[in-house]
Amino acid sequence: MRLYLSSYKLGNQPNRLVQLFGKGARVAVIYNACDFSEDPIVRGKYLEVQLQMLRDVGFEPTEIDLREYFGGKNDLNGTLRKFHAIWVPGGNVFILRRAMKQSGFDQVIKELLSKDVLAYGGFSAGACVTTPTLKGIDIMDHPDVIPKGYESEIVWDGLNLVDYSIVPHFDSDHPEVELAGKAVEYFKKNNLPHHVLRDGEVILIDGSSSEFLN
């Protein structure tokens, strides 16, 4: 399993991301964490920023909108197998998790990662969703924001790709820094395993190897 989990954007080690994904990799961008935006022009503007960021390091990014796969309408497994890697930007982690459940992404990604068909990378919400649980992260994100077409039930379990919670934007120059500190207090109070990430820092997992990059 190959994971690149960043606090903010590509982090301070984009060269390591390129090594993990492969030079010139075709990257599926899952942008559903930002489906709270009701203005498609605004959403498209910020999506383009994410796509350009990936182009700048030599990748070939394409958005895969999980809403098109809700209820098994299309073959998500077949679609993702056309890519070398997946990149999941930040936004609302609870919207993202709903999208992953409703599309079946949460099951497909585990199979593809276990077989090393592709790699997974993401920042902020894209990193938080890989953990065992999203409890505690509701301090930073609103779980009750429900875009059109989304189910209202809150999905509290993460993808369980790592065995600890992740708190992004800790001790950083970021609008959510105070909320990140409160999330850390929650995890400490409840004796829950967690890992803090300052903006720029990254967790890199490649098979049995796990590194903390700053």
Side-chain angles (χ1 to χ4, degrees), residues 111-131:
E111 175 190 352
L112 298 181
L113 287 173
S114 67
K115 295 180 178 178
D116 203 30
V117 173
L118 44 68
Y120 178 104
F123 72 88
S124 194
C128 292
V129 78
T130 67
T131 64

Side-chain angles (χ1 to χ4, degrees), residues 34-167:
C34 288
D35 284 348
F36 55 80
S37 176
E38 298 181 355
D39 187 336
I41 295 178
V42 173
R43 185 185 186 279
K45 176 183 176 181
Y46 285 103
L47 170 61
E48 181 56 32
V49 171
Q50 302 301 321
L51 298 177
Q52 188 59 51
M53 180 177 67
L54 295 169
R55 294 187 193 109
D56 288 344
V57 293
F59 296 143
E60 297 179 14
T62 302
E63 182 193 10
I64 300 300
D65 190 340
L66 294 183
R67 291 175 293 185
E68 297 178 4
Y69 299 86
F70 281 8
K73 287 185 292 185
N74 294 298
D75 179 16
L76 182 59
N77 190 310
T79 296
L80 295 180
R81 284 178 177 272
K82 299 175 183 177
F83 294 89
H84 299 111
I86 291 171
W87 182 256
V88 187
N92 185 299
V93 70
F94 293 96
I95 295 175
L96 175 63
R97 185 63 184 92
R98 286 184 176 98
M100 289 180 168
K101 180 178 181 180
Q102 289 181 236
S103 64
F105 177 94
D106 52 2
Q107 300 303 314
V108 171
I109 190 61
K110 292 178 181 179
E111 175 190 352
L112 298 181
L113 287 173
S114 67
K115 295 180 178 178
D116 203 30
V117 173
L118 44 68
Y120 178 104
F123 72 88
S124 194
C128 292
V129 78
T130 67
T131 64
T133 179
L134 300 183
K135 290 184 178 179
I137 299 302
D138 53 317
I139 294 171
M140 301 180 69
D141 271 353
H142 296 291
D144 55 354
V145 178
I146 308 170
K148 182 179 179 180
Y150 279 79
E151 296 175 355
S152 60
E153 181 183 1
I154 300 171
V155 184
W156 289 104
D157 59 302
L159 299 179
N160 206 29
L161 302 179
V162 297
D163 57 5
Y164 46 81
S165 294
I166 295 174
V167 182

Side-chain angles (χ1 to χ4, degrees), residues 182-202:
K182 292 179 180 179
V184 170
E185 291 176 4
Y186 170 87
F187 290 122
K188 288 182 177 179
K189 180 180 179 180
N190 291 279
N191 296 312
L192 296 172
H194 62 282
H195 202 311
V196 300
L197 285 177
R198 295 174 176 82
D199 287 353
E201 295 178 337
V202 171

